[in-house]
Amino acid sequence: GLYTVQWMPKLSPWGWCLAAYTVLGASIGTYGLNNFALARCKPSTVAMYTFTQPVLASLIGMLWLGEQITMPMVIASSVSLLGLAIANTGRYTS
């Protein structure tokens, strides 16, 4: 059967604003901006910014929210940045 959602009636107005931002700003807005950029830039340039977003989000979380940087985060960030470096090697030499 279906379960009723217990948290919805208890959500504050600020909570609703944050939920709306999560859906509209962080999801729909981000993908819309990526499509906007793809129409005007090279896909490799857009990919470079897209793949650096999680790394920057981790750094911002560490600086502003006091989040702990863990070894899996460091490894994942390193793999992402290494992949970007490999993909862009030779891109500027021609």
Side-chain angles (χ1 to χ4, degrees):
L2 295 174
Y3 294 100
T4 58
V5 178
Q6 299 294 328
W7 56 268
M8 284 181 68
K10 298 176 185 172
L11 203 56
S12 69
W14 180 245
W16 282 108
C17 288
L18 292 175
Y21 169 74
T22 300
V23 172
L24 299 174
S27 298
I28 296 171
T30 301
Y31 290 117
L33 287 173
N34 280 339
N35 287 335
F36 177 81
L38 280 170
R40 289 157 179 78
C41 298
K42 293 184 207 177
S44 60
T45 303
V46 177
M48 182 176 67
Y49 286 105
T50 301
F51 287 118
T52 57
Q53 287 173 358
V55 177
L56 294 175
S58 297
L59 291 175
I60 290 170
M62 180 187 71
L63 295 173
W64 288 349
L65 302 175
E67 293 181 0
Q68 296 296 317
I69 300 296
T70 63
M71 189 53 69
M73 290 171 68
V74 171
I75 293 169
S77 295
S78 300
V79 168
S80 181
L81 294 175
L82 179 64
L84 280 172
I86 291 170
N88 287 312
T89 299
R91 183 172 158 206
Y92 300 108
T93 59
S94 13

